[in-house]
Amino acid sequence: GLSCADFIPDVATASFALTVVAAVAGFAALVAAAKKIWKLATAIAILAFVTVSLHFIWFAPWELFGITLGKPPFEWYNGVAIGSVINYLFGALATFQMSKAAESDLPK
């Protein structure tokens, strides 16, 4: 079957680029949160979560209409990707909660 590597010659480079984008977005979300710009911080944190999730998809084998996408075996970097997805998910959720709290009269 076909794989991502058949369409994108260097899947590892694409995955690394998504990881770098997620890291930069995560740092930008941190800066926005430190400045208490909560809606912007939430949007950037969600972007970081989506980007790091896409990084993981490159390594997750799945089949769509008979085409297998992503064939690499499970290695240590897949575990790191799973941890990153979980970390960025909780970061986005916490930032979203703070954004909601900042809009209300609740104690912060």
Side-chain angles (χ1 to χ4, degrees):
L2 297 174
S3 72
C4 287
D6 294 326
F7 302 106
I8 300 171
D10 195 355
V11 176
T13 301
S15 181
F16 180 74
L18 287 168
T19 303
V20 171
V21 170
V24 170
F27 182 74
L30 177 66
V31 170
K35 293 185 176 194
K36 298 185 181 187
I37 309 171
W38 296 111
K39 287 188 184 226
L40 178 63
T42 300
I44 297 172
I46 291 170
L47 172 69
F49 169 69
V50 169
T51 308
V52 82
S53 296
L54 289 174
H55 159 262
F56 178 68
I57 288 171
W58 289 114
F59 293 106
W62 53 286
E63 189 170 314
L64 180 66
F65 304 116
I67 299 173
T68 302
L69 301 173
K71 294 192 295 189
F74 194 87
E75 297 285 342
W76 65 268
Y77 46 79
N78 298 107
V80 172
I82 292 168
S84 297
V85 169
I86 293 168
N87 186 34
Y88 278 98
L89 173 64
F90 283 128
L93 290 173
T95 308
F96 176 74
Q97 288 294 337
M98 190 58 209
S99 175
K100 287 294 182 189
E103 291 176 355
S104 70
D105 292 331
L106 298 174
K108 296 165 187 69

